[in-house]
Amino acid sequence: MKRRKRGGGGGGGVPKVAEATRIHIRRTLEEFRASNDDVVKIGDLLVVPIYQQKYQSSVLSVMYTFDADLSNFDRAEVHVLCRKMGMKSRSTGRFVTMGKFVESLTNLIYSRSKTGNKRCVSVYKFKGKSEKPKAKSDLTSFTFSEEGKEVLTNFFSLYPPGEHGEAEKTATTSSKNSGNTRKTDDILCKPIMKKAEIAKKLESVTARMESDLKLKQITEDRSKLPIASFKDVITSTIESNQIVLISGETGCGKTTQVPQYLLDYMWSKGDACKIVCTQPRRISAISVAERISSERGESIGDTVGYKIRLENKGGRHSSIMFCTNGVLLRVMVKAGNSRSGKEALAKNVKDTFPDITHIIVDEIHERDRFSDFMLAIIRSLHLPFSSESVASVFQVNKLYLEDVLLYVKSKSTKVSHLDNTSMDEDSDFTALEEAINIAWTSDEMDSLIDFVSTGEVLNFQHSVTGVTPLMVFARKGRVGDLCMLLSFGANCHLQDKEGKTALAWAEHENQKEAVEILRKHIDTNSVDPKEEQLVLDRYLQDVNPELIDVILIEQLLRKICTDSEEGAILVFLPGWDDINKARDKLSSSPLFKDSSKFLILALHSMVPSSEQKKVFKRPPQGCRKIILSTNIAETAVTIDDVVFVIDSGRMKEKSYDPYNKVSTLQSSWISKASAKQREGRAGRCQAGVCYHLYSKLRAASLPEFQVPEIKRTPIEELCLQCMMILMMVLEIFWMDCLVLKVNLWVIRMWRVKKVMDLMIC
Ligand SMILES: Nc1ncnc2c1ncn2[C@@H]1O[C@H](COP(=O)(O)OP(=O)(O)OP(=O)(O)O)[C@@H](O)[C@H]1O
């Protein structure tokens, strides 16, 4: 039988490479490419610089040779990956021994020996002409001429190093809320509030929360969040420390609760405050501000506001202000520009914005360049530091590619709401619910048996109780009917609204025979690890795991929608292309093209804010929401009806190759931190499931965190920004952002500076 090629079709002739080998190759190449040392150790091997004969002797290249036991397919994988990473590779019949090297760089000697005709593959990266790095003492006096500074200051005040896309005029901005035109920085001023006014505000918030039923419920839910028991510890730690690091599981309440704890604390003392909270993206700045306003029973722009590019709500009178990292950074740019020196910077931040009482920098694990710049500044202030950590909320069940493949092909879990073709409209639905009710409360089983004996509605769950026919038979000890349902393929893992399975009900009612049958069934039907591996291997022979398999996504969505009745589904895809491919696939599916049953939405930074907001709205009854999103929804976003997350494991990442001097936007594997964030989007308001479309082995091999953006950005771009941000205190920046390969980058930075000075003159 001819095999289907999948995964976007871009993997034509996908080599048959074992998952473990593929992971090993990628990791080795990434380590090799990232290393900037002259001699590096990868695994047990030393990788050394060599002077290639065919290049000028002054050109330094570094070579790494894989073990000779790679198959043809494995070597092909090395060649493909190498090309993508901007390195060169060559297969040779000779084996190059790596190991006997003289340590001195200038006297490198390496020995080669022939070991039969085994082919092996070597990888090269070129470091360009070797240059002597400038002495550190030279680098700290890095500064522009006075004219240069003036031109750049004007330039950056018009085009701030803020968010992507078109620049915004910073001098003025309009507030839709107030209809005023005011200075942007005004929104960072502390509200002028007398003690009596604060007490009145506090009173009205408390009264609202007690009188409004919805607010009462929200307040109760807030008090159950894991972070709630840390409220006093958090406020007192912040009171006695200038810098506090709070870490906690996704959804425990960091983003929405900490600003409110601070506000309540300040107000309880009768003090006005201005709490500025940053978010990496616009969507999270807006949605969190809106959520906090609704938790306090207020309109957005009142006590809580936000400021993003070209849009703001609230102003001076708002005590909590959300903004993007870029906006706050601009504030610091201003503070840093007016004076010079490390101490002056600290003083300037406080002097220029004396009204800001607290700054909260959220999602710092993302390491975007703006939050890194901010952290570098904050770190340079050498303030006392403390940390707190908080536990998690709802359970999220995690499944990986091998589980997904078995789940998708399993036949058992079928629920009636998509089987309505086999049930005549609402009357059958009501009759089946009635049959379950009767069987549950009496011993009258006939009408339920009539329904299930056709094998059509095996896993029907009662809309109120969640009880299935299998639970009824297990609870009543009807072993014959129980065996019939199990032989038809009924799902014994389904839970009712109390969280009980059929086995739990049988145990509860002490139905020993039913318990035994169900246990045996569960044991014999549990997945054999060998079967898992087999299914995975077979799948990976046909599918390149680095490409998005929209066929599998469609099958998984179908399965989820068959096995459960409600719960929005959030699918993480790397970029716009894949979102479109998935959307096209779903629109051509007879099931998903029915817009009365499925609402399919795309979430991407290019989608306007008004469209983005649609993902937070609940669809009409009977309609299921499927959101196709990039990593824009990965952090600080709560879509309250999301129960299922499908994680493709891929994201688009901007990277810069200092050897080839090119910037690329490539699809790459996510980090463990991102995977956790993606899982965290399910289970925020109820228990959820996350389907990772990569193997368990791949999951274990993912890097802990993404490479900081600062390390992936072209030096010219970074250079311009940090010159303005820390024009006078470059030393702090370089020393604090140790992730940078200082020598190589600073040399290039010098060149950019020279060009800039020339242009300005
Ligand atoms: N818009 C919303 N609708 C309903 N519930 C919400 C909303 N936003 C937050 N919540 C509830 O508040 C909880 C805490 O959310 P919050 O964003 O503060 O968590 P977090 O700890 O900052 O998570 P993360 O680390 O993922 O950013 C969520 O788990 C959810 O139960």
Side-chain angles (χ1 to χ4, degrees), residues 684-735:
R684 293 180 85 75
C685 298
Q686 58 273 304
V689 188
C690 180
Y691 302 90
H692 296 288
L693 300 186
Y694 46 89
S695 66
K696 289 171 191 164
L697 196 63
R698 169 80 59 190
S701 78
L702 293 175
E704 293 299 325
F705 294 97
Q706 202 188 344
V707 176
E709 190 186 0
I710 226 165
K711 233 179 142 183
R712 297 181 273 113
T713 305
I715 188 67
E716 291 79 1
E717 213 178 306
L718 261 188
C719 177
L720 282 173
Q721 291 185 356
C722 72
M723 275 172 186
M724 289 312 301
I725 292 159
L726 298 167
M727 201 185 278
M728 313 304 160
V729 282
L730 270 171
E731 187 192 4
I732 300 170
F733 180 72
W734 292 122
M735 294 309 114

Side-chain angles (χ1 to χ4, degrees), residues 96-149:
V96 182
T97 313
M98 312 290 291
K100 289 182 184 171
F101 306 107
V102 179
E103 267 135 31
S104 151
L105 241 183
T106 44
N107 298 320
L108 275 171
I109 303 163
Y110 66 96
S111 60
R112 293 180 175 205
S113 67
K114 288 184 184 179
T115 56
N117 53 6
K118 269 189 169 180
R119 268 185 97 65
C120 56
V121 58
S122 301
V123 185
Y124 304 86
K125 67 179 181 182
F126 301 99
K127 300 183 67 181
K129 290 184 181 173
S130 53
E131 286 180 70
K132 269 204 161 187
K134 289 199 186 293
K136 190 184 146 215
S137 56
D138 292 345
L139 302 173
T140 53
S141 58
F142 187 91
T143 173
F144 277 114
S145 61
E146 283 310 310
E147 300 93 305
K149 278 184 211 165

Side-chain angles (χ1 to χ4, degrees), residues 225 248-257 287-288 291 295 362-363 393-394 616 634-640 677 680-681 683-685:
L225 286 173
E249 290 293 323
T250 54
C252 69
K254 303 174 295 292
T255 311
T256 52
Q257 304 309 306
S287 64
V288 176
R291 171 67 189 176
E295 285 187 1
D362 203 358
E363 313 297 353
V393 233
F394 293 101
F616 297 104
E634 192 176 288
T635 49
V637 169
T638 300
I639 302 170
D640 64 357
Q677 287 295 329
R681 297 314 109 189
R684 293 180 85 75
C685 298

Side-chain angles (χ1 to χ4, degrees), residues 440 466-475 494-496 500 502 505:
W440 191 255
V467 166
T468 62
L470 195 73
M471 289 177 203
V472 176
F473 297 142
R475 179 170 176 260
L494 291 179
Q495 295 177 351
D496 65 7
K500 282 203 177 83
W505 275 117

